[in-house]
Amino acid sequence: MRSDANIAGPMTDPVPGPRTESSFGEDVSRETPPPMDDTPIGRAAQLAVEALGRAGEGLPRPERTRVIVVANQKGGVGKTTTTVNLAASLALHGGRVLVVDLDPQGNASTALGIDHHAEVPSIYDVLVDSRPLAEVVQPVPDVEGLFCAPATIDLAGAEIELVSLVARESRLQRAIQAYEQPLDYILIDCPPSLGLLTVNALVAGAEVLIPIQCEYYALEGLGQLLRNVDLVRGHLNPDLHVSTILLTMYDGRTRLASQVAEEVRTHFGEEVLRTSIPRSVRISEAPSYGQTVLTYDPGSSGALSYLEAARELALKGVGVSYDATHAHIGAQNNPNMVEGIQ
Ligand SMILES: Nc1ncnc2c1ncn2[C@@H]1O[C@H](COP(=O)(O)OP(=O)(O)OP(=O)(O)O)[C@@H](O)[C@H]1O
Ligand SMILES: [Mg+2]
């Protein structure tokens, strides 16, 4: 057990009593209140949770580690932004969360402030050289309970190198299964393609989260992703399903955004989170400071909407109905909350 292991926090167990799932350490206390982060950034982020008025309310912990694949082969729809901000939100809600950066661009590693120059041990070593995941995972500065397996530029060659390797589709799955640290969530940030890297993610996870940008052509190409999910479920991973759709870059001022949202909701129904993410300057600025929006500007509509989406995701995961009072926090019905026109 690592010394930084600490999953004490406002998340509460849906079922009291010791956890039977082996992936959770029995030496981890769930009774202790969350340690207040002693860095200014950590404290500010903690305030964001409190801004929602529910810091002490507690969120249910999943009974076992939820492995969530954030995928959409369309580029620039908000996969990375969603991965890092949801992960940080879940950690701020008290969860213990690992982000696996599976994109050679390494954007998730950058956004989390994780060093990922070419010599850093990375997810490439895990996939291609069977290095244990524990040897590449780094704690994320400023967010208690958040960890990252970084991607380096080496990963660009992995799509090709994997082709000739044994069990080329299930190398990430094996690495995750062998990872012994207790985790509530693993979020995997996929590249904008459906190659072997994304297939590795789909084999490793049970849930697919598809971010959909509220723009024209939002649904284009989704059929291909859904067919791939079906193929992987049929041949390699019977548990795989699309559990969550998240509407991103929602601009409450445009009719197009609400039309796209309506179309997505008609098409997917229950899988679509009630919370959508507003288009927000703060969200797009945060990565250049190596931060998530949760630490960069905790009170912004972007930060609050990701916190709310995380809450909805956590509640859905344990079958607890979600009170959507705050689902519109991200400006859906309140265009004044869109930064820039306040
Ligand atoms: N809610 C938002 N408001 C404003 N800008 C956003 C928002 N979400 C994402 N962006 C910006 O849009 C761009 C694309 O987002 P992101 O990198 O998360 O997409 P992606 O799907 O991971 O892209 P890729 O396919 O290249 O991996 C980034 O510059 C990001 O900062
Ligand atoms: Mg990305």
Side-chain angles (χ1 to χ4, degrees):
M1 170 69 63
R2 260 202 314 253
S3 60
D4 57 8
N6 176 9
I7 60 168
M11 282 207 172
T12 52
D13 244 313
V15 188
R19 192 186 292 281
T20 48
E21 180 66 21
S22 60
S23 61
F24 289 89
E26 59 288 337
D27 53 339
V28 174
S29 161
R30 285 181 288 278
E31 262 72 57
T32 330
M36 191 72 167
D37 246 302
D38 51 7
T39 65
I41 290 176
R43 199 183 309 281
Q46 199 67 47
L47 287 175
V49 181
E50 282 162 21
L52 285 176
R54 342 194 150 83
E57 188 182 304
L59 274 186
R61 315 178 74 92
E63 271 187 59
R64 59 193 66 212
T65 311
R66 287 175 70 183
V67 183
I68 302 175
V69 182
V70 182
N72 188 337
Q73 82 274 26
K74 201 187 234 292
V77 297
K79 291 182 288 296
T80 302
T81 306
T82 293
T83 304
V84 299
N85 289 302
L86 261 189
S89 298
L90 289 164
L92 286 167
H93 279 306
R96 207 175 143 82
V97 187
L98 171 66
V99 168
V100 174
D101 189 350
L102 211 56
D103 186 345
Q105 299 177 97
N107 294 155
S109 313
T110 304
L112 293 172
I114 298 291
D115 192 7
H116 62 108
H117 63 264
E119 279 78 47
V120 170
S122 72
I123 202 71
Y124 169 88
D125 304 301
V126 172
L127 293 174
V128 176
D129 295 332
S130 303
R131 192 165 180 168
L133 188 55
E135 290 183 13
V136 312
V137 167
Q138 298 184 42
V140 172
D142 300 318
V143 184
E144 181 86 32
L146 182 57
F147 302 86
C148 175
T152 60
I153 192 66
D154 295 342
L155 197 57
E159 292 273 13
I160 310 257
E161 289 175 66
L162 281 169
V163 172
S164 58
L165 297 182
V166 179
R168 60 190 178 185
E169 297 96 352
S170 47
R171 298 180 75 88
L172 181 62
Q173 179 195 43
R174 288 178 180 193
I176 286 176
Q177 283 171 352
Y179 187 70
E180 288 180 342
Q181 303 297 325
L183 288 170
D184 295 311
Y185 297 90
I186 299 177
L187 271 68
I188 307 174
D189 184 28
C190 290
S193 64
L194 294 172
L196 266 177
L197 288 172
T198 299
V199 169
N200 261 273
L202 294 174
V203 173
E207 300 183 41
V208 182
L209 185 160
I210 308 178
I212 295 183
Q213 185 181 358
C214 294
E215 292 291 350
Y216 205 51
Y217 296 131
L219 296 176
E220 201 179 63
L222 270 189
Q224 204 187 341
L225 172 61
L226 298 177
R227 278 192 295 280
N228 273 38
V229 170
D230 286 344
L231 273 174
V232 172
R233 182 176 44 240
H235 293 94
L236 296 160
N237 181 5
D239 294 334
L240 187 68
H241 63 288
V242 176
S243 68
T244 313
I245 310 282
L246 179 64
L247 296 166
T248 65
M249 298 183 234
Y250 190 98
D251 186 342
R253 296 166 296 184
T254 68
R255 186 170 297 170
L256 176 63
S258 54
Q259 281 170 351
V260 170
E262 203 178 303
E263 196 182 339
V264 172
R265 288 185 196 283
T266 308
H267 199 274
F268 288 99
E270 281 303 293
E271 282 78 35
V272 188
L273 291 188
R274 307 275 291 271
T275 311
S276 51
I277 307 301
R279 186 173 278 286
S280 145
V281 176
R282 295 285 176 266
I283 289 179
S284 58
E285 284 171 349
S288 55
Y289 296 88
Q291 286 185 40
T292 67
V293 73
L294 281 304
T295 54
Y296 177 64
D297 190 350
S300 64
S301 62
L304 296 179
S305 62
Y306 270 114
L307 279 169
E308 192 61 19
R311 183 179 138 74
E312 193 178 348
L313 186 86
L315 291 174
K316 265 183 97 175
V318 292
V320 173
S321 67
Y322 168 71
D323 164 14
T325 317
H326 298 270
H328 302 307
I329 209 155
Q332 209 137 323
N333 289 339
N334 182 3
N336 292 328
M337 281 191 67
V338 178
E339 280 120 342
I341 58 162
Q342 278 170 348

